[in-house]
Amino acid sequence: MEFEPHPDIEPLAFLLGRWEGAGVGDYPTIKEFRFGQEISFSHIGKPFLIYSSRSWLIEDDGSLGRPLGTETGYWRPQPGNQVEVTLAHPTGIVEIYVGNVAFNRVELLTDVVARTTTAKEVTGGKRLYGLMPEKDGKRDLGWVYEMAAMGQPLQSHLSAQLKKVA
């Protein structure tokens, strides 16, 4: 069933669709790695986007390796070009981000990070999602994730460039 987009999601409409690509990850507590990723933004006619992401390791020979992170959540536009994002991870972490939307770009900062007793320590995050300059008539989605975890201050952790596939 196809629904008309709710008017409130208009500032985030540039995100709608399925995006695939590759990125790099690094952090003081782990070795640098490359990963593949698929992100989906969809809607059901209500004033929010449904978000899901999954990633997998890219081996040194370029082949796909083991699954890595996955997360799901909701992006809720608010008045004044603000946005609230809730994300849940199967590792026992739940994050609430707040931020703003402007010019096909979303900047988010954690408001709350909650975790189960068995989850790794994550204390904060910052994310940036945005359309990159047009190339061959298309615009890729770039994103960057900074993380504060395992006693480390907020710093670069992941970045990727994704192409719209659907």
Side-chain angles (χ1 to χ4, degrees):
M1 181 177 277
E2 188 78 20
F3 297 98
E4 286 294 315
H6 193 282
D8 288 358
I9 70 168
E10 180 57 35
L12 297 172
F14 71 95
L15 294 169
L16 286 169
R18 189 165 54 90
W19 303 82
E20 293 180 354
V24 294
D26 195 13
Y27 207 67
T29 59
I30 60 174
K31 181 181 157 195
E32 185 176 327
F33 62 97
R34 295 181 308 144
F35 65 93
Q37 183 175 32
E38 177 184 271
I39 291 179
S40 170
F41 290 94
S42 60
H43 73 90
I44 56 169
K46 300 291 243 171
F48 58 84
L49 296 183
I50 303 163
Y51 166 83
S52 68
S53 170
R54 63 187 184 118
S55 60
W56 51 91
L57 187 66
I58 295 178
E59 301 289 354
D60 291 340
D61 67 2
S63 65
L64 297 183
R66 64 181 168 81
L68 295 174
T70 183
E71 57 189 20
T72 60
Y74 300 94
W75 292 51
R76 301 169 3 114
Q78 301 299 311
N81 291 325
Q82 299 298 300
V83 63
E84 299 171 345
V85 175
T86 60
L87 297 179
H89 306 262
T91 56
I93 297 169
V94 177
E95 300 169 292
I96 297 174
Y97 285 86
V98 293
N100 59 16
V101 182
F103 307 108
N104 294 326
R105 174 182 164 128
V106 182
E107 291 186 57
L108 302 167
L109 187 62
T110 48
D111 183 44
V112 174
V113 178
R115 63 188 179 93
T116 64
T117 57
T118 59
K120 288 183 180 177
E121 178 199 30
V122 174
T123 57
K126 183 177 179 181
R127 294 178 183 230
L128 171 66
Y129 295 78
L131 292 182
M132 302 181 83
E134 190 172 320
K135 185 176 175 185
D136 300 325
K138 296 182 181 179
R139 296 181 76 181
D140 291 351
L141 178 66
W143 74 270
V144 176
Y145 172 48
E146 295 178 19
M147 178 176 73
M150 308 304 290
Q152 300 291 319
L154 189 67
Q155 60 193 285
S156 180
H157 177 42
L158 303 170
S159 63
Q161 184 170 340
L162 311 171
K163 296 188 178 312
K164 194 169 199 172
V165 295

